[in-house]
Amino acid sequence: MRLRRVLFVLIAIAITSSCKEMGEISGDYDITIVGTKDYSEHDITLKIETGDKNTISGNSACNQYSGSFTNPKENLIEIGMLMGTKMYCMDVAEVEADYKKHLSQVASVEVTDTGINLLNKAGNIIIVAIKKDMK
C-alpha cells in the first residue's frame, strides 16, 4: 500500500540543547499525535533500534511495518524500503492512511523529555511519539 511509498525518507536528527545522541532515539514508542489529530486511542507504534542494524518497525493502526535506515553523514538518516502487511481494517483505514502520509513527510527528529517529535522539512512537528517506558 502507501507504506511502500515511504522510501528513502531523509530524517535529520535535530540537536537539542542537551546534545542528545542518535542512540537515545532507540526504543519503543506510542504515537499520540499525527498532524493536528489525537490518535492516542489507536494502536500506532514505532520501534527504533540503532547499532549494528538500524531498524524501524511498528503498527500503523492495522498493519505492521518494518524496514532499515542508514546514517550516511552527520545527523542524516535515510530510511530504506519499508515492508508492511496488507490487511484492510475499515474502521481505522483513514487513521492508518493519515499516519503513513505524515510518516512519509518526516525530515528530522527532536528528542524530548517524554519521547520524540518527528518534524517535516519546515520544522513543524507532525508526529508526537511517547516512549513506552515514560508512561
Side-chain angles (χ1 to χ4, degrees):
M1 292 220 254
R2 290 183 184 232
L3 195 51
R4 288 185 182 164
R5 294 182 187 172
V6 184
L7 306 176
F8 309 114
V9 175
L10 294 177
I11 301 176
I13 305 299
I15 301 187
T16 62
S17 59
S18 59
C19 298
K20 305 217 183 245
E21 294 182 16
M22 189 174 122
E24 292 186 46
I25 67 169
S26 292
D28 294 310
Y29 298 90
D30 286 318
I31 304 300
T32 57
I33 305 293
V34 176
T36 59
K37 298 175 184 162
D38 182 349
Y39 285 160
S40 56
E41 68 188 56
H42 299 286
D43 185 25
I44 304 175
T45 62
L46 173 65
K47 181 175 187 170
I48 301 171
E49 295 180 31
T50 58
D52 293 337
K53 294 182 180 181
N54 294 325
T55 61
I56 182 173
S57 60
N59 184 310
S60 56
C62 176
N63 289 285
Q64 299 292 318
Y65 64 92
S66 65
S68 62
F69 63 90
T70 59
N71 185 229
K73 60 183 183 178
E74 185 179 334
N75 296 333
L76 292 180
I77 295 175
E78 288 183 12
I79 296 178
M81 181 170 299
L82 295 177
M83 300 172 288
T85 56
K86 293 186 176 193
M87 296 184 298
Y88 180 73
C89 304
M90 188 182 312
D91 57 332
V92 293
E94 287 183 32
V95 170
E96 184 170 58
D98 192 37
Y99 173 63
K100 291 175 187 178
K101 180 186 96 176
H102 281 84
L103 189 60
S104 72
Q105 297 171 2
V106 171
S108 63
V109 175
E110 173 182 72
V111 178
T112 68
D113 290 339
T114 58
I116 56 174
N117 293 331
L118 305 177
L119 295 81
N120 62 15
K121 288 180 182 179
N124 300 316
I125 297 170
I126 57 173
I127 298 174
V128 176
I130 305 299
K131 202 159 196 174
K132 287 190 177 192
D133 61 2
M134 298 298 259
K135 288 183 149 188

